Amino acid sequence: MYQFLRFVPQGIQNIGVDVLLGLMMKRNPGIVDRLDQLEGKVFLFDAHDIAKRYFLHVRSGRLAVGPAVEKPDVSMHGEIGTLLSLLRKRTDADSAFFTRKLKLEGDVKTSVYFKNVLE
């Protein structure tokens, strides 16, 4: 369904993901308060089915797409549909993990806290 994204330049996709994150935070103002605990952390969403990577940075109570880093705090690997469903709160992170639709690597404590923020 999302295979066309393989051909959309990364910079344009980053803008789209940034807008989606902004809408998510606007609809859920409590997220901003809870992001304080994650200040300075970087999360990688690796959408292997479309060969795109999104680095999400937590800065000043905001989650935004930022530059690539060599070693993110948490890496999440899955299909773009799974990643978008997580951001739109249509998929539970635990369910995605246990059904192997989502693979996590990195700091476990940070990943659990991030999951709780998204939920």
Side-chain angles (χ1 to χ4, degrees):
M1 177 176 185
Y2 298 102
Q3 288 302 309
F4 73 93
L5 291 172
R6 180 180 291 272
F7 306 105
V8 177
Q10 184 75 49
I12 292 172
Q13 287 189 35
N14 287 351
I15 292 168
V17 171
D18 219 27
V19 168
L20 180 63
L21 291 171
L23 289 172
M24 179 184 74
M25 287 186 289
K26 193 175 200 173
R27 289 182 185 158
N28 303 288
I31 288 176
V32 175
D33 297 331
R34 294 167 49 197
L35 284 175
D36 286 344
Q37 298 290 326
L38 297 172
E39 183 66 31
K41 301 289 186 185
V42 177
F43 300 88
L44 165 63
F45 278 178
D46 179 16
H48 59 77
D49 59 328
I50 61 167
K52 301 289 182 181
R53 297 166 55 119
Y54 309 94
F55 290 87
L56 306 180
H57 296 252
V58 180
R59 289 187 216 125
S60 304
R62 180 161 156 44
L63 185 62
V65 177
V69 297
E70 192 169 314
K71 189 173 181 193
D73 296 286
V74 176
S75 297
M76 294 168 260
H77 308 274
E79 293 183 358
I80 188 66
T82 300
L83 300 175
L84 290 173
S85 290
L86 285 169
L87 289 175
R88 292 170 33 207
K89 296 177 131 185
R90 294 192 173 158
T91 297
D92 174 61
D94 289 332
S95 298
F97 177 76
F98 288 114
T99 58
R100 299 181 187 197
K101 291 181 179 180
L102 182 67
K103 180 181 172 190
L104 294 171
E105 296 174 346
D107 181 12
V108 175
K109 182 180 175 183
T110 300
S111 66
V112 169
Y113 190 83
F114 185 65
K115 175 193 76 86
N116 291 337
V117 167
L118 289 179
E119 291 176 349

